[in-house]
Amino acid sequence: MLKLQNIDAYYGFIHALKNININIKKGEIVTILGANGAGKTSTLKVISGLLKPQKGKIKFNNKSFNKYTPEKIVSEGIIQSPEGRQIFPELSVEENLKAGAYTRKDRNNIENSLEEVYNYFPILKERKKQYAGTLSGGEQQMLAIARALMAKPKILLLDEPSLGLAPIIVKEIFQIIKDINKEGTTVLLVEQNAYQALSIADYGYILETGKVVLEGNSKELLVNTDIKKAYLGGN
Ligand code: ATP
């Protein structure tokens, strides 16, 4: 469905991505793991059109995306829930959600989508009139994911949804990501929390200093001794 082929990307002289190959099949949860600075966010930026690669191809359903603007990529159904949440703190929860639907042409179905999203995140329904800035960290993360869902993504891009959250909230959010995927949305999950991410993903890529150093089925990666040492705190 989405393919990155031999991608090289730079920030000025900084070579952020080196010959990256990533393949996301329809219906899967794919995770990209790696430490700070490994190139995870840069990979998402290449997919969403914010960082144009010097080399390589981006293909979505066999169509080349290299020349597409970020707006065009969103309109094709590739929607990111950004790191750090970036919700609108001075709008209500529901206004934030409606803002997520701004690119949709089927305006009549937006109320239905709100109900669908509230089914995934009942807490947001309870708080729908509240200013988003007054939500807890976990609720703000839920709102960011919910707002991305309002755009009806074909692929949902999640940048470190577990960042800064208590383990119990992370578990809840990851369960919801799994449920969203079961209902048919393909997910690309960027994470530092390797264990949780691999537990819900079908396939994983490990990035180090801008390169894919390992990839495989999540079940295999979870028992891989190198990964255990580097990312899962094992021996
Ligand atoms: P993090 O978890 O910290 O976001 P990451 O794996 O997402 O890390 P990237 O943000 O993709 O890593 O960064 C990859 C490399 O590119 C790093 O060396 C980083 O310093 C560099 N980099 C990222 N953004 C910029 C920028 N705007 N200008 C210059 N260099 C950048």
Side-chain angles (χ1 to χ4, degrees):
M1 186 180 201
L2 182 69
K3 279 189 180 144
L4 300 187
Q5 294 174 326
N6 308 109
I7 295 288
D8 270 275
Y10 294 79
Y11 299 98
F13 294 114
I14 296 171
H15 196 176
L17 299 179
K18 301 165 189 157
N19 199 33
I20 297 282
N21 285 286
I22 284 175
N23 190 9
I24 300 165
K25 294 186 195 144
K26 192 167 191 267
E28 279 187 339
I29 300 180
V30 171
T31 185
I32 300 180
L33 306 170
N36 275 330
K40 304 182 300 297
T41 302
S42 301
T43 305
L44 286 183
K45 281 188 183 164
V46 164
I47 295 171
S48 52
L50 297 168
L51 176 64
K52 289 293 174 193
Q54 256 75 0
K55 201 178 126 266
K57 290 186 182 138
I58 311 146
K59 284 188 184 161
F60 182 53
N61 291 332
N62 273 329
K63 212 164 23 168
S64 171
F65 259 36
N66 285 60
K67 296 214 169 98
Y68 280 19
T69 60
E71 292 75 19
K72 175 77 178 151
I73 291 170
V74 165
S75 73
E76 293 281 331
I78 299 187
I79 313 292
Q80 182 167 345
S81 167
E83 184 182 17
R85 332 269 137 85
Q86 297 175 24
I87 50 152
F88 304 119
E90 284 164 22
L91 294 183
S92 72
V93 166
E94 190 148 299
E95 285 164 343
N96 266 275
L97 292 173
K98 286 184 171 163
Y102 78 101
T103 55
R104 280 175 56 179
K105 296 185 184 83
D106 57 335
R107 310 300 303 172
N108 297 336
N109 294 328
I110 286 172
E111 288 298 322
N112 290 343
S113 293
L114 268 178
E115 283 312 310
E116 275 172 38
V117 161
Y118 286 145
N119 275 336
Y120 287 124
F121 301 100
I123 190 80
L124 297 181
K125 187 167 189 174
E126 279 173 36
R127 306 209 185 290
K128 66 181 179 186
K129 297 224 164 72
Q130 201 168 314
Y131 285 126
T134 65
L135 297 176
S136 71
E139 289 160 359
Q140 291 192 16
Q141 182 58 62
M142 291 179 192
L143 179 57
I145 298 171
R147 190 180 59 182
L149 282 181
M150 287 298 292
K152 286 250 170 211
K154 293 194 181 107
I155 300 189
L156 177 62
L157 311 176
L158 298 169
D159 196 354
E160 302 210 25
S162 77
L163 199 72
L165 301 180
I168 188 160
I169 309 284
V170 173
K171 223 171 156 194
E172 193 182 338
I173 289 179
F174 275 54
Q175 182 57 48
I176 297 169
I177 295 170
K178 217 170 147 182
D179 293 343
I180 291 168
N181 172 255
K182 269 204 195 117
E183 293 297 317
T185 308
T186 305
V187 176
L188 176 59
L189 172 63
V190 160
E191 263 298 338
Q192 287 196 41
N193 190 335
Y195 181 74
Q196 294 279 0
L198 287 172
S199 303
I200 64 163
D202 298 291
Y203 201 84
Y205 293 86
I206 316 282
L207 288 189
E208 273 175 23
T209 59
K211 280 189 234 151
V212 175
V213 291
L214 195 64
E215 63 173 275
N217 291 323
S218 299
K219 287 201 181 87
E220 290 163 17
L221 294 179
L222 268 173
V223 296
N224 180 304
T225 38
D226 290 341
I227 297 198
K228 276 193 179 160
K229 269 193 203 145
Y231 299 102
L232 302 174
N235 298 302

